[in-house]
């Protein structure tokens, strides 16, 4: 049951920040409401004031600035999946967005809400990590920019401070010749596993590699140590190198047994799908690279 709630609809970030500062703990930021309304309805979260950020025009943009793609926090999954700019500059993100949940959630849910909630079983964060994305956060005192990898702190925990808004995601251009791929495993709507790869190969040698894994651990992770081992290796050896890093993957990702599968199964599938995604990215033959 939802109790009585006051709805505040600011037209600017400054007004939203002011409302959040005024109401403190009693206020919650409300974007698509796909998660928030469920939490309130089930009594898992209490609030008296919803600060609806969807009326803030500046949070709906998808623009290129100085070679980087800027995405406002209130852009929906559906809009991202269908954006011509996203499809050209971050096609694996467009693909991941097209796989989120179902048409209702994709129309309602926003990228900002997804990242701010930081549910481990999410798609966009994993892809954004291989793009070295960063986020802009703001409150009534001003703005700050941090790497997305620092924004994800733990399961359902982010670097957002009290009363702070996620305003924008910035995706820098990939190095020339680098392609990406995102692969996803799911039994239900939310993904069991998501892997993202970006790679550039030259005559069968991998000269640039980025890898990220989401869903099997508390938060999406870049695999920096494995990336270093793969850089300079032959693409044909990559599957074997990844398989040899099972303990590294287990320690970094900390998979658990749950309804989606055993920890061992998730780890096994992580290795297989990382190799598949890397191959697709390196060969540039992913349907969605
Ligand atoms: C049935 C179902 C299936 C799903 N399946 C998937 C899936 O397959 N893949 C996937 O990635 N996700 C999945 N999701 C999650 C979905 O993508 C998110 O629920 C959605 O994106 C959240 O966005 P929202 O705008 O609705 O956020 P809200 O529900 O409005 O907010 C979520 C949280 O983020 C905070 N918040 C929202 N916007 C901001 C902001 N700009 N700044 C700071 N804090 C903010 C809110 O205060 C709240 O705590 C699923 C959700 C449901 C309900």
């Amino acid at each position: 049951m939802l109790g009585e709630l006051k709805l505040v609809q600011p037209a600017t970030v400054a007004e939203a920040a002011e409302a959040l500062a005024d109401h403190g703990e009693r206020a919650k930021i409300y974007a698509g409401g796909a998660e928030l309304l469920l939490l309130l309805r089930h009594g898992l979260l209490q609030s008296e004031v919803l600060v609806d950020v969807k009326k803030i025009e500046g949070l709906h943009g998808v623009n290129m600035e100085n070679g980087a793609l800027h995405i406002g926090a209130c852009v929906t999954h559906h809009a991202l999946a269908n954006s011509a700019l996203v499809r050209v500059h971050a096609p694996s993100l467009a693909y991941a967005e097209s796989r989120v949940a179902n048409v209702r959630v994709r129309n309602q849910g926003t990228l900002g809400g997804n990242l701010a909630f930081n549910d481990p079983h999410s798609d966009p964060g994993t892809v954004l990590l291989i793009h070295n994305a960063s986020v802009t956060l703001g409150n009534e005192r001003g703005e700050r920019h941090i790497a997305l990898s620092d924004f994800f702190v733990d399961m359902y925990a982010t670097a957002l401070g009290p009363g702070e808004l996620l305003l924008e995601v910035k995706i820098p251009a990939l190095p020339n010749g680098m392609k990406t791929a995102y692969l996803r495993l799911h039994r239900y709507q939310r993904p069991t596993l998501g892997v993202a790869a970006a790679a550039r190969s030259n005559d069968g040698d991998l000269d640039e590699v980025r890898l990220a894994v989401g869903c099997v651990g508390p938060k999406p992770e870049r695999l920096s140590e494995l990336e270093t081992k793969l850089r300079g290796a032959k693409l044909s050896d990559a599957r074997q190198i990844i398989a040899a890093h099972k303990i590294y993957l287990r320690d970094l990702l900390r998979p658990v047994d749950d309804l989606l599968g055993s920890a061992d199964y998730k780890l096994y599938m992580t290795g297989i799908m990382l190799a598949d995604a890397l191959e697709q990215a390196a060969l540039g033959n992913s349907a969605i690279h």
Side-chain angles (χ1 to χ4, degrees):
M1 280 287 287
L2 278 177
E4 202 165 296
L5 289 163
K6 180 178 170 194
L7 184 67
V8 180
Q9 295 192 299
T12 63
V13 171
E15 283 174 27
E18 203 181 301
L20 289 166
D22 284 353
H23 296 288
E25 285 278 286
R26 295 181 297 127
K28 295 281 173 279
I29 299 168
Y30 167 53
E35 301 287 9
L36 187 66
L37 296 181
L38 282 178
L39 295 173
L40 292 170
R41 197 172 293 136
H42 292 293
L44 296 168
L45 198 72
Q46 272 73 45
S47 178
E48 292 169 29
V49 182
L50 296 187
V51 179
D52 178 0
V53 289
K54 291 190 300 298
K55 295 271 186 276
I56 305 174
E57 222 178 287
L59 300 186
H60 288 269
V62 178
N63 308 302
M64 288 300 291
E65 276 171 46
N66 301 323
L69 187 59
H70 293 251
I71 301 174
C74 286
V75 180
T76 63
H77 301 300
H78 174 79
L80 287 171
N82 292 290
S83 155
L85 277 179
V86 178
R87 284 174 165 222
V88 169
H89 295 281
S92 294
L93 177 64
Y95 171 72
E97 292 288 2
S98 77
R99 302 288 92 193
V100 166
N102 54 51
V103 70
R104 182 187 65 77
V105 172
R106 288 197 294 277
N107 272 321
Q108 181 185 358
T110 64
L111 179 61
N114 183 289
L115 300 177
F117 192 53
N118 198 16
D119 183 297
H121 297 283
S122 298
D123 294 284
T126 309
V127 186
L128 288 167
L129 283 184
I130 58 158
H131 280 278
N132 290 341
S134 60
V135 288
T136 304
L137 313 181
N139 61 14
E140 80 285 5
R141 294 187 299 280
E143 292 186 358
R144 62 187 176 117
H145 308 274
I146 61 169
L148 184 66
S149 51
D150 294 328
F151 178 77
F152 295 132
V153 172
D154 205 344
M155 191 183 298
Y156 303 111
T158 68
L160 279 165
E164 202 167 31
L165 292 140
L166 171 54
L167 302 177
E168 187 180 82
V169 177
K170 178 180 166 192
I171 304 178
L174 285 170
N176 270 344
M178 207 172 193
K179 302 276 191 204
T180 64
Y182 179 67
L183 299 178
R184 178 189 205 264
L185 177 71
H186 65 278
R187 289 183 64 192
Y188 307 109
Q189 280 176 1
R190 291 185 190 255
T192 301
L193 165 65
V195 302
R200 185 177 56 206
S201 68
N202 195 354
D203 246 358
D205 293 333
L206 291 163
D207 52 42
E208 225 4 284
V209 178
R210 297 179 189 173
L211 297 171
V213 174
C215 312
V216 293
K219 63 186 177 81
E221 298 281 358
R222 268 290 285 270
L223 311 181
S224 316
E225 198 179 309
L226 182 54
E227 290 174 12
T228 308
K229 293 282 167 51
L230 287 163
R231 225 165 268 135
K234 293 238 164 287
L235 177 59
S236 51
D237 292 336
R239 197 167 288 272
Q240 210 178 345
I241 296 171
I242 293 170
H245 280 73
K246 199 168 173 182
I247 292 172
Y248 162 74
L249 290 173
R250 188 198 60 203
D251 291 350
L252 180 73
L253 304 173
R254 295 177 279 149
V256 292
D257 298 333
D258 61 19
L259 288 174
L260 299 173
S262 67
D264 278 349
Y265 166 72
K266 292 179 200 171
L267 206 53
Y268 173 76
M269 288 310 295
T270 300
I272 301 285
M273 285 173 61
L274 272 173
D276 288 349
L278 179 59
E279 212 166 87
Q280 289 189 13
L283 298 175
N285 65 0
S286 154
I288 34 80
H289 50 77

